[in-house]
Amino acid sequence: LAAVAGSLLILGAVFFMLSNFIAPSEDRTSPATSEPRAVYAIACARCHGETGAGRGGNPRLRGRALPAGHVAERIRKGRRAMPRFPNIRGETLSNLAAYVSVWK
């Protein structure tokens, strides 16, 4: 019984570590606007907070001087716990990335 419990504990730890390196499934958010403040509220605020200060252990965006290209790539591809947002693209993606990248 102790061997089974130990094996399950190890498997759980391995799964947890791998989940930090594999982006979760896609977020199917499809904003009907390209206005960055509205898109941020729809797609980003639930994890990064309404003001970009972070929420629930998720990283803050405000005050990090993130390049717009970096922000756009994270939105498109996701990373670790952040899902991909394939439905945010084109002008909407550019506007959102620029909006977040200039936060101080």
Side-chain angles (χ1 to χ4, degrees), residues 64-76 79 82 97 101:
R64 293 184 60 195
L66 298 168
H70 174 79
V71 174
E73 182 177 333
R74 286 292 175 262
I75 293 167
R76 276 195 324 267
R79 186 168 182 231
M82 182 171 162
S101 71

Side-chain angles (χ1 to χ4, degrees), residues 3-65:
V4 171
S7 296
L8 289 175
L9 185 62
I10 290 171
L11 284 173
V14 168
F15 177 76
F16 177 76
M17 288 187 322
L18 287 176
S19 70
N20 285 326
F21 295 102
I22 300 171
S25 62
E26 297 176 351
D27 185 298
R28 304 227 184 254
T29 300
S30 291
T33 179
S34 63
E35 200 284 310
R37 209 170 312 186
V39 176
Y40 181 87
I42 293 166
C44 311
R46 67 179 171 234
C47 295
H48 295 287
E50 291 179 22
T51 63
R55 176 182 286 169
N58 294 301
R60 68 180 168 78
L61 302 174
R62 187 168 294 280
R64 293 184 60 195

